[in-house]
Amino acid sequence: MAWTWRFETADGAETAPSVEPEEFTTQGDAESWIGEYWKDLLEGGTERVRLSDDNGEELYTMSLREALDA
């Protein structure tokens, strides 16, 4: 199974990430990657991300701005 991130601006429009993601074969790998790069992504204009599996099922949405403010 593959896991992918969708990168969005504050208004929900898809945007290109400032850090190119790798291919993730596990949910844990995808989450570890976002944990490492979320600040760089936020600085590059990504406000939130959505994690989906290769069936297109969205697992969750996360606000990078809220993570910064936490």
Side-chain angles (χ1 to χ4, degrees):
M1 183 171 281
W3 303 87
T4 57
W5 289 106
R6 174 184 160 97
F7 305 93
E8 299 179 348
T9 59
D11 65 1
E14 189 168 12
T15 187
S18 58
V19 179
E20 193 63 35
E22 49 195 78
E23 291 189 23
F24 308 109
T25 56
T26 68
Q27 182 177 349
D29 288 346
E31 291 170 341
S32 292
W33 182 87
I34 206 75
E36 186 173 340
Y37 292 106
W38 71 272
K39 287 183 182 178
D40 297 323
L41 293 164
L42 183 59
E43 289 174 5
T46 298
E47 290 284 326
R48 70 179 170 216
V49 293
R50 297 176 187 267
L51 182 63
S52 300
D53 65 19
D54 60 357
N55 294 324
E57 182 178 338
E58 185 178 306
L59 295 150
Y60 60 84
T61 300
M62 180 174 65
S63 167
L64 301 181
R65 179 74 51 202
E66 288 177 14
L68 181 66
D69 297 338

